[in-house]
Amino acid sequence: PMRFGLDRRRLLAGALGGLVVAGGARAAERSLYVAMRDGVRIALDVVPAAGGFGVRGPTLVEATRYGRADRDPARVAQLSQAGLHQVYADARGTGVSTGWRPIEFSEAEVQDLGELIDWIVRQPWSDGKVAFTGNSYAGDTSELATASGRPGLVGAVIRHSEFDVYRHLIFPGGVRNAMMLELWGKAVGEADLAEACLGAASACKGLDQVKPVDGDADYVQARAALGDHQLNSRPDRHFGGMVFYDDVG
Protein backbone atom coordinates (compact mmCIF):
# COMPACT_ATOMS: atom_id res chain seq x y z
CA PRO A 1 0.00 0.00 0.00
CA MET A 2 1.02 3.59 -0.53
CA ARG A 3 3.00 4.96 2.40
CA PHE A 4 1.57 8.21 3.71
CA GLY A 5 3.62 11.16 2.54
CA LEU A 6 4.02 13.52 -0.36
CA ASP A 7 2.41 11.22 -2.92
CA ARG A 8 -0.87 11.02 -1.04
CA ARG A 9 -0.81 14.72 -0.26
CA ARG A 10 -0.55 15.40 -4.00
CA LEU A 11 -3.49 13.10 -4.69
CA LEU A 12 -5.59 14.87 -2.09
CA ALA A 13 -4.48 18.26 -3.35
CA GLY A 14 -5.71 17.39 -6.81
CA ALA A 15 -9.11 16.38 -5.48
CA LEU A 16 -9.57 19.17 -2.99
CA GLY A 17 -8.16 22.04 -4.97
CA GLY A 18 -4.79 22.47 -3.30
CA LEU A 19 -3.47 22.08 0.23
CA VAL A 20 -2.18 24.99 2.22
CA VAL A 21 0.16 24.14 5.07
CA ALA A 22 -1.10 26.07 8.05
CA GLY A 23 0.83 26.93 11.17
CA GLY A 24 -0.13 27.54 14.76
CA ALA A 25 -1.55 25.38 17.51
CA ARG A 26 -4.21 22.86 16.58
CA ALA A 27 -7.67 23.40 18.03
CA ALA A 28 -9.25 20.65 20.10
CA GLU A 29 -11.31 18.04 18.25
CA ARG A 30 -15.03 17.64 18.79
CA SER A 31 -16.93 14.38 19.27
CA LEU A 32 -20.65 14.37 18.59
CA TYR A 33 -23.62 12.52 17.19
CA VAL A 34 -25.21 13.31 13.82
CA ALA A 35 -28.74 12.07 13.19
CA MET A 36 -29.55 10.13 10.02
CA ARG A 37 -32.90 10.06 8.17
CA ASP A 38 -34.16 7.08 10.22
CA GLY A 39 -33.12 8.43 13.62
CA VAL A 40 -29.89 6.42 13.86
CA ARG A 41 -27.12 8.58 15.31
CA ILE A 42 -23.64 8.32 13.87
CA ALA A 43 -20.75 9.10 16.22
CA LEU A 44 -18.11 11.41 14.76
CA ASP A 45 -14.77 12.87 15.75
CA VAL A 46 -14.13 16.16 13.97
CA VAL A 47 -10.49 17.22 13.93
CA PRO A 48 -9.95 20.79 12.72
CA ALA A 49 -7.25 21.96 10.38
CA ALA A 50 -4.31 23.69 12.02
CA GLY A 51 -6.05 27.04 11.66
CA GLY A 52 -8.99 25.83 13.75
CA PHE A 53 -12.71 25.71 13.10
CA GLY A 54 -12.70 29.41 12.28
CA VAL A 55 -10.99 28.69 8.95
CA ARG A 56 -13.08 27.23 6.14
CA GLY A 57 -11.41 24.38 4.30
CA PRO A 58 -11.78 20.95 2.69
CA THR A 59 -12.65 17.86 4.72
CA LEU A 60 -11.22 14.35 4.64
CA VAL A 61 -13.47 11.54 5.93
CA GLU A 62 -12.80 8.01 7.17
CA ALA A 63 -15.78 5.82 8.02
CA THR A 64 -14.95 2.56 9.75
CA ARG A 65 -16.46 -0.33 11.70
CA TYR A 66 -13.29 -0.76 13.82
CA GLY A 67 -13.72 2.23 16.11
CA ARG A 68 -13.17 5.82 15.01
CA ALA A 69 -10.51 6.34 17.72
CA ASP A 70 -8.19 3.82 16.05
CA ARG A 71 -5.99 6.20 14.06
CA ASP A 72 -2.37 7.33 13.85
CA PRO A 73 -1.87 10.61 15.77
CA ALA A 74 1.13 11.54 13.62
CA ARG A 75 -0.88 11.11 10.44
CA VAL A 76 -3.78 13.10 11.89
CA ALA A 77 -1.42 15.93 12.80
CA GLN A 78 0.16 15.91 9.36
CA LEU A 79 -3.21 16.14 7.63
CA SER A 80 -4.26 18.94 9.97
CA GLN A 81 -1.09 20.88 9.21
CA ALA A 82 -1.82 20.36 5.52
CA GLY A 83 -5.02 22.40 5.93
CA LEU A 84 -7.53 19.56 6.09
CA HIS A 85 -10.42 19.23 8.49
CA GLN A 86 -10.93 15.55 9.29
CA VAL A 87 -14.01 13.54 10.17
CA TYR A 88 -13.77 10.03 11.63
CA ALA A 89 -17.04 8.09 11.83
CA ASP A 90 -18.25 4.91 13.52
CA ALA A 91 -20.40 3.02 11.01
CA ARG A 92 -23.96 2.39 12.19
CA GLY A 93 -24.20 -0.48 14.63
CA THR A 94 -20.51 -0.21 15.58
CA GLY A 95 -18.41 1.81 18.02
CA VAL A 96 -20.89 4.06 19.82
CA SER A 97 -23.09 4.79 16.80
CA THR A 98 -26.65 3.64 17.32
CA GLY A 99 -28.59 1.24 15.12
CA TRP A 100 -27.87 -2.36 14.23
CA ARG A 101 -26.25 -4.26 11.37
CA PRO A 102 -28.21 -6.84 9.36
CA ILE A 103 -25.13 -7.31 7.15
CA GLU A 104 -21.89 -5.55 6.29
CA PHE A 105 -22.32 -2.60 3.89
CA SER A 106 -26.09 -2.58 4.14
CA GLU A 107 -28.13 -0.18 2.02
CA ALA A 108 -28.77 1.93 5.12
CA GLU A 109 -25.04 2.14 5.89
CA VAL A 110 -24.29 3.27 2.33
CA GLN A 111 -27.02 5.93 2.54
CA ASP A 112 -25.39 7.22 5.73
CA LEU A 113 -22.25 8.12 3.76
CA GLY A 114 -24.18 10.54 1.58
CA GLU A 115 -25.86 12.09 4.60
CA LEU A 116 -22.51 12.58 6.29
CA ILE A 117 -21.36 14.51 3.22
CA ASP A 118 -24.53 16.63 3.43
CA TRP A 119 -23.85 17.38 7.09
CA ILE A 120 -20.23 18.32 6.49
CA VAL A 121 -20.89 20.78 3.67
CA ARG A 122 -23.41 22.58 5.90
CA GLN A 123 -20.85 23.25 8.62
CA PRO A 124 -19.38 26.77 8.90
CA TRP A 125 -15.83 25.38 8.79
CA SER A 126 -16.43 23.52 5.51
CA ASP A 127 -15.62 25.00 2.11
CA GLY A 128 -18.01 22.50 0.53
CA LYS A 129 -15.34 20.06 -0.66
CA VAL A 130 -15.24 16.55 0.81
CA ALA A 131 -13.04 13.54 0.06
CA PHE A 132 -13.07 10.05 1.57
CA THR A 133 -10.02 7.90 2.19
CA GLY A 134 -9.13 4.63 3.83
CA ASN A 135 -7.73 1.15 3.69
CA SER A 136 -9.66 -2.11 3.87
CA TYR A 137 -13.05 -1.36 5.47
CA ALA A 138 -12.53 2.41 5.25
CA GLY A 139 -11.43 1.86 1.65
CA ASP A 140 -14.71 0.08 1.00
CA THR A 141 -16.75 2.92 2.49
CA SER A 142 -14.70 5.40 0.48
CA GLU A 143 -15.56 3.53 -2.70
CA LEU A 144 -19.21 3.27 -1.73
CA ALA A 145 -19.35 6.99 -0.96
CA THR A 146 -18.55 7.74 -4.60
CA ALA A 147 -21.99 6.34 -5.49
CA SER A 148 -23.76 8.89 -3.28
CA GLY A 149 -24.23 11.42 -6.07
CA ARG A 150 -23.35 14.28 -3.75
CA PRO A 151 -21.74 17.23 -5.56
CA GLY A 152 -19.71 18.01 -2.45
CA LEU A 153 -17.77 14.75 -2.81
CA VAL A 154 -14.86 15.72 -5.02
CA GLY A 155 -12.66 12.66 -4.64
CA ALA A 156 -11.69 9.48 -2.85
CA VAL A 157 -8.25 8.03 -2.10
CA ILE A 158 -8.98 4.30 -1.89
CA ARG A 159 -5.86 2.57 -0.66
CA HIS A 160 -7.44 -0.89 -0.76
CA SER A 161 -10.99 -2.17 -1.01
CA GLU A 162 -12.91 -5.41 -1.46
CA PHE A 163 -15.10 -4.58 -4.43
CA ASP A 164 -16.96 -7.90 -4.37
CA VAL A 165 -17.66 -9.33 -0.91
CA TYR A 166 -18.11 -12.89 -2.17
CA ARG A 167 -15.22 -13.10 -4.65
CA HIS A 168 -12.74 -11.04 -2.66
CA LEU A 169 -13.59 -11.96 0.95
CA ILE A 170 -15.83 -14.98 1.40
CA PHE A 171 -14.63 -17.29 -1.42
CA PRO A 172 -11.49 -15.76 -2.97
CA GLY A 173 -10.40 -17.95 -5.85
CA GLY A 174 -13.29 -20.27 -5.02
CA VAL A 175 -11.81 -21.23 -1.64
CA ARG A 176 -13.84 -20.66 1.53
CA ASN A 177 -12.08 -18.00 3.64
CA ALA A 178 -12.47 -19.38 7.16
CA MET A 179 -10.40 -16.54 8.60
CA MET A 180 -12.91 -13.90 7.50
CA LEU A 181 -16.02 -15.89 8.33
CA GLU A 182 -14.85 -17.23 11.68
CA LEU A 183 -11.88 -15.36 13.17
CA TRP A 184 -12.67 -11.88 11.80
CA GLY A 185 -16.38 -12.45 12.26
CA LYS A 186 -15.93 -13.39 15.91
CA ALA A 187 -13.59 -10.45 16.60
CA VAL A 188 -15.81 -7.76 15.12
CA GLY A 189 -18.96 -9.35 16.48
CA GLU A 190 -17.67 -9.30 20.04
CA ALA A 191 -16.32 -5.76 19.63
CA ASP A 192 -19.72 -4.53 18.39
CA LEU A 193 -21.49 -6.03 21.40
CA ALA A 194 -18.91 -4.93 24.00
CA GLU A 195 -20.86 -6.93 26.56
CA ALA A 196 -18.63 -6.03 29.51
CA CYS A 197 -19.18 -2.32 28.87
CA LEU A 198 -22.88 -2.88 28.40
CA GLY A 199 -22.96 -4.55 31.78
CA ALA A 200 -20.96 -1.91 33.68
CA ALA A 201 -19.82 1.58 32.75
CA SER A 202 -16.54 1.04 34.57
CA ALA A 203 -15.62 -1.63 32.00
CA CYS A 204 -15.94 0.83 29.11
CA LYS A 205 -12.86 2.87 29.90
CA GLY A 206 -9.86 1.99 27.79
CA LEU A 207 -11.87 0.35 25.03
CA ASP A 208 -10.91 2.12 21.79
CA GLN A 209 -14.02 0.76 20.11
CA VAL A 210 -16.22 2.46 22.73
CA LYS A 211 -15.14 6.10 22.60
CA PRO A 212 -17.92 8.31 24.03
CA VAL A 213 -18.93 11.58 22.42
CA ASP A 214 -18.42 14.86 24.24
CA GLY A 215 -20.62 15.17 27.32
CA ASP A 216 -20.99 11.40 27.75
CA ALA A 217 -18.22 10.74 30.26
CA ASP A 218 -20.52 8.37 32.16
CA TYR A 219 -21.10 6.31 28.99
CA VAL A 220 -24.89 6.56 29.18
CA GLN A 221 -25.30 7.29 25.47
CA ALA A 222 -22.52 4.88 24.50
CA ARG A 223 -24.11 2.01 26.38
CA ALA A 224 -27.53 2.81 24.90
CA ALA A 225 -25.92 2.43 21.47
CA LEU A 226 -24.45 -0.93 22.54
CA GLY A 227 -27.97 -2.01 23.39
CA ASP A 228 -28.89 -1.53 19.71
CA HIS A 229 -25.85 -3.56 18.64
CA GLN A 230 -27.15 -6.67 20.38
CA LEU A 231 -29.34 -7.20 17.29
CA ASN A 232 -26.35 -7.22 14.94
CA SER A 233 -25.83 -10.16 12.63
CA ARG A 234 -22.64 -12.07 13.39
CA PRO A 235 -20.55 -13.23 10.40
CA ASP A 236 -19.15 -16.10 12.46
CA ARG A 237 -22.61 -17.31 13.44
CA HIS A 238 -24.95 -16.27 10.65
CA PHE A 239 -22.87 -16.62 7.49
CA GLY A 240 -21.26 -20.00 8.16
CA GLY A 241 -23.50 -21.73 5.62
CA MET A 242 -22.63 -19.33 2.83
CA VAL A 243 -21.61 -21.29 -0.26
CA PHE A 244 -23.00 -19.68 -3.40
CA TYR A 245 -22.81 -16.14 -4.73
CA ASP A 246 -26.52 -15.53 -4.17
CA ASP A 247 -26.09 -16.36 -0.47
CA VAL A 248 -24.38 -12.98 0.06
CA GLY A 249 -27.65 -11.12 -0.40
Side-chain angles (χ1 to χ4, degrees):
M2 184 188 301
R3 184 174 61 86
F4 179 77
L6 183 59
D7 288 341
R8 190 192 294 183
R9 290 179 65 180
R10 285 174 176 163
L11 285 170
L12 292 171
L16 297 170
L19 298 178
V20 178
V21 177
R26 198 179 83 208
E29 69 179 59
R30 299 170 181 170
S31 297
L32 68 157
Y33 280 116
V34 173
M36 300 290 102
R37 69 219 159 269
D38 57 359
V40 166
R41 299 190 302 159
I42 301 299
L44 306 179
D45 287 347
V46 184
V47 181
F53 286 114
V55 177
R56 296 177 70 242
T59 304
L60 187 64
V61 183
E62 286 196 18
T64 183
R65 61 120 50 256
Y66 299 127
R68 70 191 194 282
D70 184 15
R71 53 187 189 256
D72 179 7
R75 175 175 174 270
V76 172
Q78 188 174 17
L79 291 170
S80 180
Q81 287 295 323
L84 289 168
H85 298 298
Q86 299 162 66
V87 171
Y88 297 90
D90 286 334
R92 67 166 52 211
T94 75
V96 297
S97 289
T98 67
W100 65 286
R101 302 175 68 78
I103 195 170
E104 303 299 310
F105 311 118
S106 68
E107 181 178 350
E109 182 179 359
V110 176
Q111 291 176 353
D112 293 343
L113 302 174
E115 294 193 16
L116 286 177
I117 297 169
D118 295 340
W119 179 83
I120 289 168
V121 300
R122 292 196 302 266
Q123 302 312 301
W125 40 263
S126 171
D127 67 357
K129 295 179 180 179
V130 179
F132 274 67
T133 190
N135 180 50
S136 189
Y137 198 93
D140 296 330
T141 55
S142 296
E143 191 163 27
L144 292 167
T146 64
S148 68
R150 267 43 177 204
L153 183 66
V154 298
V157 178
I158 304 164
R159 299 175 61 201
H160 168 79
S161 69
E162 295 81 20
F163 185 78
D164 187 305
V165 172
Y166 180 86
R167 292 187 175 95
H168 296 165
L169 288 180
I170 307 304
F171 271 82
V175 178
R176 184 178 185 275
N177 188 350
M179 187 282 291
M180 286 299 302
L181 284 171
E182 297 164 12
L183 300 181
W184 178 86
K186 182 176 187 291
V188 297
E190 291 179 351
D192 291 345
L193 301 183
E195 292 177 339
C197 176
L198 184 63
S202 59
C204 302
K205 296 179 181 178
L207 295 178
D208 287 342
Q209 184 93 355
V210 186
K211 182 188 179 189
V213 299
D214 294 341
D216 191 35
D218 54 3
Y219 291 92
V220 170
Q221 295 182 84
R223 294 170 71 210
L226 295 179
D228 289 351
H229 302 178
Q230 306 307 304
L231 296 174
N232 283 8
S233 64
R234 289 277 300 267
D236 57 323
R237 296 176 182 174
H238 302 150
F239 304 150
M242 188 177 293
V243 176
F244 301 108
Y245 190 87
D246 289 349
D247 293 338
V248 175

